[in-house]
Amino acid sequence: MKLSIIAFLICAFSLFFASFLFYPKWQQGRTEATLSWDVSGYYLYLPAIFIYKDITQVAFLDSIIEKYYPTPDPQQVFPHPSGSRVMKYSAGMAVQYLPFFLAAHTLAPILGYPADGFSLPYQFAISFGSLLIAILGLWFTRKNLLHFFSETPTALTLLFITLGTNYLDYAGINGAMSHNYLFTIYAILINTTITFYKNPTLGKSLGIGALVGLAALTRPTEIISCLIPLLWGLDSKIAIQERIQFWQKRLPMLIGAGFFCVAIGSLQLIYWKYVAQEWIVYTYREQGFSWLNPHFYKGIFSYRTGWLVYSPILFFALAGFVTLYKKNRSQFWALFTFFTLFIYIVFAWDEWWYGGSLGQRAMVQSYAVLAFPLASFVQFIYKKRPWNYIFYAVCLLFIYYNLWLTYQAHRGGLLVVGEMTRGYFWKTVGRYEIPNEYRKLLDSHDFFEGERKDVKVIYQNNFEQDTTSTLCPIPPIEGKRSACLSQTLKYTPPYSFPLQNGAAKWMRVSADFRCQAKEGENWKMAQFIVRFMNNDEEVTSRMMRVYRFLNDNETKRLCQDVKLPRKLFNRVEILFWNVESDKALAIDGLEAELFNKK
């Protein structure tokens, strides 16, 4: 059996294992289900059209959220001045989900499940269909690479992308996200482009137009996929002249491709016109692009979700553009031009971290393109001893690292997607158990380890004079009163005491906390805040999310250690903020201590 076939089968099995044995999302509930968060928004067109016959108001969504809780709030739709509720996401994913949805909708009543669009058969069908799409994408990626590379670099490239990058997560576990489907669209588009220029036919040209249109219907910025067929093979002025002549002789093919692209893309325009009486509706509202200030460094190198921090094996793909330029220039310009524009668009988006994701999920579809420079680099180095052995060892390390990340994101719990910091990253990387105290580094870079000396208590407050406790649904922790946070009591007053530079190196602030129910959404969690003030000006502040360390019906003493700032300050304020939670929280025994490291 050919080496690339063996690699393909290993990759396909790995995706199957991740999807159906390691973490089957179709068996999960609420916001961990297949049809949750963004996916539920992509998918919403289908139940709206085929089940509830309500594409203009989407009134059924409220009951779906109450029953299945796919998202904390109905962010997938928003009210429009026309009186309708408009879908946030474009329709491309719904078009691609359609055959799997129809299969589930047929089988759900037969199997005894509600035909409501979100019961188990629908969850399973979208998960299984997404796995098939991923395997199809890998198959076409293999075919694409074999046009230009031998078996070994092709096989290794498939393994490196599948096992060594966050593609494993976004094809095998979160495969219903758009990135998996777009990866496959790009793989098929490249293959169709290659075969078209070898043997041009009307059918292939229409297929290219349809694929570009479907990519743009899925994510409008993917319209740049048209650069791949337009620039493919152009490596000189002579090639450009020949290409112009080529299209002059085949103008109907070019027009047909454009027609199919526009026809598929226009489905979104038709929806907007029908629902909102406008041809164009900007559905992301407050979100947008900073074209003059793209977030390259944060998007690529930050510990929060930096692309190469979480998929470092793709450093070799970037290096491979050099070898691709030298050895396969006819592919280089199309792929490099596309990728340069693609990465610019991805990181010009203001929400550059793309929500809670393992690394940069928005980059995943580009791996169908990056497979070429990665294979080029592999082909360059795999016979160069001893460098090839070093290369293999590094790649095995990166594969292990990616498997560790994937495990921690779904089973281990150490990877807190979208919230990672430098300090927390280096305290956890490669580990399977950590002290719970390390989670403080998710909120602050100040963290004390070691023995304390010169400990001095400088502030205490038992809140016995606090009048808000009478409004608290939680009984006092100690004495007659405790401070309280609730849905209506969002803030405590700032508790202030004098302090100046040089008093010590560190300060520990601690308090007792009691809750009835844990707040699970980190952006809603109550915050324990320490502010250093110079008169009325804030010098710096630190905070800790309390519910990271509290469980249901638990009382616990929590502390945070902060370094005293070097900048001039003359007092400290401590306060508690219930950001967006409706959970009540009692606070007592507030204390501040100065200390130095022993």
Side-chain angles (χ1 to χ4, degrees):
M1 187 181 293
K2 292 181 178 180
L3 192 59
S4 65
I5 291 289
I6 295 173
F8 166 76
L9 292 175
I10 292 172
C11 293
F13 175 77
S14 299
L15 295 183
F16 172 81
F17 180 86
S19 184
F20 284 88
L21 299 175
F22 171 66
Y23 198 77
K25 285 185 73 70
W26 53 275
Q27 290 183 340
Q28 310 302 316
R30 297 168 69 86
T31 56
E32 278 297 297
T34 299
L35 297 172
S36 64
W37 292 106
D38 292 5
V39 173
S40 63
Y42 305 152
Y43 169 84
L44 211 51
Y45 291 87
L46 299 178
I49 294 171
F50 293 97
I51 299 177
Y52 300 99
K53 318 297 182 185
D54 180 14
I55 196 69
T56 58
Q57 295 298 325
V58 202
F60 65 91
L61 180 58
D62 296 335
S63 62
I64 291 296
I65 289 177
E66 182 177 353
K67 183 176 182 180
Y68 294 100
Y69 198 73
T71 181
D73 59 90
Q75 60 178 349
Q76 303 100 327
V77 298
F78 67 92
H80 188 268
S82 65
S84 299
R85 293 212 293 177
V86 178
M87 307 276 191
K88 176 180 180 179
Y89 302 104
S90 53
M93 288 303 298
V95 171
Q96 295 174 83
Y97 293 149
L98 182 59
F100 314 125
F101 166 83
L102 292 177
H105 195 53
T106 301
L107 292 173
I110 297 173
L111 297 174
Y113 290 94
D116 59 6
F118 284 81
S119 61
L120 186 62
Y122 300 92
Q123 306 281 350
F124 177 85
I126 300 302
S127 281
F128 184 70
S130 300
L131 176 63
L132 295 180
I133 292 295
I135 293 172
L136 182 66
L138 286 175
W139 178 257
F140 274 96
T141 300
R142 172 186 171 270
K143 292 183 66 175
N144 295 342
L145 294 177
L146 286 174
H147 282 287
F148 307 99
F149 306 100
S150 61
E151 285 286 323
T152 300
T154 297
L156 290 175
T157 299
L158 290 177
L159 292 171
F160 291 163
I161 288 177
T162 303
L163 301 178
T165 75
N166 58 344
Y167 175 79
L168 176 64
D169 185 81
Y170 286 100
I173 298 173
N174 288 299
M177 295 287 285
S178 61
H179 317 290
N180 171 38
Y181 285 74
L182 285 166
F183 176 98
T184 297
I185 289 174
Y186 275 108
I188 298 173
L189 175 63
I190 292 170
N191 185 264
T192 308
T193 298
I194 293 170
T195 58
F196 173 78
Y197 284 116
K198 288 184 176 180
N199 180 28
T201 65
L202 179 61
K204 292 174 186 175
S205 67
L206 297 181
I208 288 172
L211 288 165
V212 172
L214 184 57
L217 184 63
T218 302
R219 289 170 72 96
T221 55
E222 306 295 336
I223 190 64
I224 64 170
S225 60
C226 68
L227 293 175
I228 295 174
L230 290 176
L231 300 181
W232 192 265
L234 300 183
D235 58 355
S236 65
K237 291 182 179 179
I238 294 176
I240 294 173
Q241 293 170 353
E242 291 175 348
R243 181 61 55 81
I244 293 172
Q245 294 173 359
F246 174 90
W247 284 118
Q248 286 175 340
K249 295 177 181 179
R250 296 170 178 83
L251 195 57
M253 293 185 183
L254 185 61
I255 294 173
F259 175 80
F260 265 56
C261 177
V262 172
I264 292 176
S266 66
L267 293 176
Q268 192 64 44
L269 306 182
I270 293 170
Y271 162 75
W272 284 331
K273 184 63 175 175
Y274 179 77
V275 171
Q277 289 79 56
E278 297 178 12
W279 286 110
I280 301 290
V281 179
Y282 187 74
T283 59
Y284 283 80
R285 297 180 293 172
E286 72 281 358
Q287 297 172 305
F289 294 89
S290 294
W291 297 113
L292 299 179
N293 188 30
H295 312 281
F296 287 125
Y297 183 82
K298 291 180 179 178
I300 297 173
F301 298 112
S302 76
Y303 287 92
R304 185 174 185 179
T305 53
W307 174 46
L308 293 180
V309 171
Y310 291 93
S311 293
I313 204 168
L314 292 173
F315 272 111
F316 297 125
L318 298 183
F321 273 118
V322 177
T323 57
L324 191 70
Y325 177 81
K326 293 178 179 179
K327 300 292 185 180
N328 300 88
R329 199 167 300 180
S330 61
Q331 289 81 54
F332 170 83
W333 286 112
L335 300 175
F336 183 74
T337 302
F338 164 82
F339 181 74
T340 301
L341 186 56
F342 177 87
I343 201 169
Y344 169 68
I345 292 172
V346 165
F347 295 125
W349 185 245
D350 285 332
E351 196 175 325
W352 55 269
W353 60 95
Y354 289 88
S357 65
L358 199 174
Q360 278 293 341
R361 61 183 174 88
M363 293 296 296
V364 168
Q365 56 263 40
S366 72
Y367 300 170
V369 169
L370 289 177
F372 285 85
L374 181 56
S376 179
F377 187 85
V378 173
Q379 183 165 272
F380 164 76
I381 204 169
Y382 85 96
K383 288 184 178 180
K384 295 186 180 298
R385 298 177 181 175
W387 298 107
N388 56 343
Y389 296 120
I390 297 173
F391 171 71
Y392 296 147
V394 171
C395 288
L396 284 174
L397 177 63
F398 287 159
I399 287 172
Y400 174 78
Y401 171 61
N402 184 65
L403 296 177
W404 177 85
L405 285 171
T406 306
Y407 172 78
Q408 294 300 341
H410 298 286
R411 292 293 187 190
L414 297 188
L415 184 72
V416 187
V417 291
E419 299 181 55
M420 298 293 286
T421 63
R422 178 195 295 268
Y424 182 78
F425 177 89
W426 288 112
K427 287 291 187 182
T428 57
V429 65
R431 300 185 182 188
Y432 291 87
E433 292 183 3
I434 61 168
N436 205 37
E437 290 286 297
Y438 285 175
R439 293 188 179 272
K440 293 177 181 178
L441 287 164
L442 291 167
D443 297 321
S444 172
H445 60 260
D446 286 354
F447 186 79
F448 180 80
E449 287 183 296
E451 294 186 53
R452 299 191 299 159
K453 70 175 184 178
D454 306 326
V455 179
K456 179 182 179 183
V457 177
I458 58 170
Y459 179 79
Q460 289 180 316
N461 191 336
N462 60 10
F463 304 109
E464 288 301 309
Q465 306 303 315
D466 194 299
T467 58
T468 61
S469 60
T470 58
L471 304 174
C472 192
I474 300 178
I477 298 174
E478 188 174 341
K480 295 182 179 180
R481 293 178 178 176
S482 295
C484 184
L485 294 176
S486 66
Q487 191 170 16
T488 54
L489 298 170
K490 291 293 185 182
Y491 290 93
T492 66
Y495 305 105
S496 179
F497 55 89
L499 188 65
Q500 293 183 341
N501 301 72
K505 295 292 185 182
W506 289 85
M507 181 172 67
R508 173 169 293 178
V509 182
S510 54
D512 297 313
F513 296 88
R514 174 182 290 169
C515 70
Q516 292 175 328
K518 181 181 180 68
E519 176 55 69
E521 302 290 344
N522 76 295
W523 56 278
K524 292 183 178 180
M525 288 181 180
Q527 295 182 8
F528 181 5
I529 302 169
V530 179
R531 297 195 299 218
F532 293 91
M533 309 292 293
N534 186 29
N535 298 322
D536 293 328
E537 180 183 353
E538 181 180 311
V539 175
T540 188
S541 66
R542 298 288 184 266
M543 72 89 173
M544 180 178 73
R545 290 182 172 88
V546 173
Y547 284 103
R548 293 195 193 278
F549 309 95
L550 279 180
N551 295 312
D552 293 347
N553 297 307
E554 187 173 30
T555 302
K556 185 180 290 186
R557 188 160 187 84
L558 302 176
C559 70
Q560 59 172 316
D561 296 325
V562 295
K563 284 184 178 180
L564 271 62
R566 294 180 180 179
K567 293 182 180 180
L568 184 67
F569 68 93
N570 56 24
R571 64 186 177 93
V572 175
E573 288 184 351
I574 302 171
L575 70 152
F576 304 89
W577 175 29
N578 198 28
V579 183
E580 288 291 342
S581 179
D582 58 357
K583 310 292 193 302
L585 185 71
I587 306 151
D588 216 330
L590 177 61
E591 183 176 81
E593 302 168 294
L594 295 179
F595 67 94
N596 294 305
K597 187 172 183 178
K598 192 169 183 178

